[in-house]
Amino acid sequence: MPETNFPNLADVFMARKRIKNMVVKTPLIKSTSLSRLAGADVYLKLETVQPTGSFKARGAANKIVSLSPEQKENGVIAFSTGNHGRAVAEMSRRFGLKSVICLSERVPSFRVEAMRALGAEVVAYGQSQDEAYAKALSIQKERNLTMVAPFDDPMVISGQGTIALEIFEDLPETASVAVPLSGGGLFAGVAMAAKSINPKTKLIGVSMAVAPAMIRSLEAGKPVEIPEKDSLADALLGGIGLDNQYTFPMTRQYIDQQILVSEEEIGAAMVHAFLNERRVIEGSGAVGIAALLAGKLKTPGPIVLVISGGNVDPRQLHDLVAAKIDQ
Ligand SMILES: *Cc1c(COP(=O)(O)O)cnc(C)c1O
């Protein structure tokens, strides 16, 4: 087996240079309501304002600009629960690359439409991420495309890690960072960079309780498969890959605390963000707020919650808010 080259802080700085003009430096905003509840300063790192509405723009941009001219000529392919596909579609469009996005038929239709609107060829196939992935692999071979992996790729991890550079520039005294955790590209990048900048930083991974693939894998000591479920945090669904090379070992190395949140807690967090902060946050982006509101996040402040995305189905948010208001 070839020796694995884990990305490091220098890779994150290089990523930032490469993607500077394609992504935004997102705001870090103090939350009055959450700071009061937590008894510590709580800040929101708002990846919701990133192009295509999630942090995935960072990793996708870093990967795509680094491709060879020949790879760019042939185009790219991605498999995705939605936000990764959207980011790959947008970054490809900006660079004039062709993109194919494969996803399972379980992905909500509003997400599929968003990718089509960005000019990607969308292939909806199968009932699980694994089936969609198998389909993506066969199309990749057939058409000689480059696969842009959603999380287990050093370029993608380094791109997501640029979030930590911005956090420490804006708030050098950051003591804890809570990160939504699924495949672990976001966690691995942010945690590696944060710990490299200040090894005392506490890194908390937050997953939804119904299907926490990374946390089950950490418990098992190796990547494991878990059954797919529906969740308000639909961008956290999917496995970590049985052949995982980077994000599993990196998450295991850097994680200080793991937190699971229920569907009810995620819904309450989305509603809280909307009513108290006037922010539209998707379920996956709200898991840090959910952990805090549920009293599960007891870590030193200042605490930064990475708000990973805002691509919520408007009907879903409407129903949750209406249910709360009508109580
Ligand atoms: C992809 C995604 C995550 C999880 O990121 P991983 O790198 O797979 O752990 C969290 N939140 C949102 C909004 C996402 O799109």
Side-chain angles (χ1 to χ4, degrees):
M1 247 199 28
E3 195 170 303
T4 304
N5 273 321
F6 288 101
N8 59 31
L9 187 61
D11 296 312
V12 179
F13 275 104
M14 283 191 286
R16 175 159 71 176
K17 209 165 168 187
R18 278 188 212 107
I19 70 177
K20 210 172 129 209
N21 297 322
M22 279 170 270
V23 300
V24 297
K25 181 180 174 187
T26 54
L28 185 71
I29 294 198
K30 187 168 170 181
S31 163
T32 313
S33 70
L34 295 175
S35 297
R36 199 181 307 122
L37 285 164
D41 286 347
V42 177
Y43 290 80
L44 308 179
K45 179 64 172 163
L46 292 174
E47 290 298 302
T48 50
V49 304
Q50 209 55 266
T52 70
S54 83
F55 72 92
K56 293 235 172 46
R58 296 176 186 261
N62 193 38
K63 179 71 181 182
I64 287 170
V65 288
S66 309
L67 297 178
S68 71
E70 195 194 330
Q71 289 172 317
K72 285 180 179 157
E73 178 70 32
N74 290 335
V76 296
I77 184 163
F79 81 99
S80 170
T81 51
N83 283 340
H84 173 59
R86 212 190 269 218
V88 169
E90 170 63 11
M91 292 302 156
S92 300
R93 191 183 63 76
R94 291 190 189 188
F95 286 97
L97 273 66
K98 272 181 298 185
S99 65
V100 180
I101 312 299
C102 270
L103 33 72
S104 89
E105 288 163 359
R106 293 168 63 95
V107 172
S109 62
F110 81 100
R111 292 193 184 273
V112 177
E113 288 318 314
M115 283 178 264
R116 289 220 165 95
L118 293 171
E121 177 186 340
V122 179
V123 180
Y125 184 86
Q127 285 306 306
S128 71
Q129 281 278 90
D130 289 343
E131 284 176 66
Y133 184 53
K135 183 75 178 173
L137 287 178
S138 81
I139 297 175
Q140 177 199 12
K141 268 213 191 109
E142 228 171 82
R143 304 202 210 163
N144 198 19
L145 306 170
T146 299
M147 178 71 75
V148 181
F151 50 84
D152 201 29
D153 180 301
M155 285 294 176
V156 172
I157 295 167
S158 306
Q160 323 305 27
T162 58
I163 292 170
L165 302 184
E166 296 173 6
I167 290 173
F168 280 93
E169 273 165 13
D170 287 351
L171 192 71
E173 65 271 32
T174 297
S176 307
V177 185
V179 183
L181 176 60
S182 176
L186 177 62
F187 185 89
V190 169
M192 174 268 287
K195 293 270 192 192
S196 305
I197 292 166
N198 178 2
K200 291 196 187 117
T201 318
K202 295 281 176 240
L203 269 297
I204 301 102
V206 191
S207 299
M208 75 301 208
V210 294
M214 181 62 86
I215 287 176
R216 293 289 169 260
S217 299
L218 292 172
E219 287 162 1
K222 61 173 199 291
V224 294
E225 276 174 351
I226 57 164
E228 282 193 33
K229 299 271 169 59
D230 287 328
S231 173
L232 285 172
D234 60 282
L236 300 185
L237 293 172
I240 70 164
L242 294 181
D243 57 350
N244 187 296
Q245 286 195 62
Y246 300 97
T247 61
F248 175 70
M250 290 177 76
T251 302
R252 184 163 57 179
Q253 179 180 353
Y254 296 119
I255 198 162
D256 294 299
Q257 192 193 348
Q258 312 162 11
I259 298 178
L260 294 177
V261 289
S262 69
E263 293 302 304
E264 211 177 357
E265 288 163 352
I266 297 168
M270 294 165 73
V271 170
H272 179 94
F274 186 73
L275 294 179
N276 297 73
E277 311 267 339
R278 293 295 189 261
R279 305 240 172 245
V280 172
I281 302 178
E282 63 182 282
S284 306
V287 294
I289 297 175
L292 195 144
L293 291 176
K296 295 175 179 176
L297 187 62
K298 296 192 181 76
T299 187
I303 304 170
V304 173
L305 308 179
V306 176
I307 308 300
S308 51
N311 291 325
V312 62
D313 181 347
R315 274 164 309 224
Q316 183 186 69
L317 183 61
H318 167 273
D319 291 350
L320 289 166
V321 171
K324 172 75 179 181
I325 293 176
D326 295 342
Q327 249 174 25

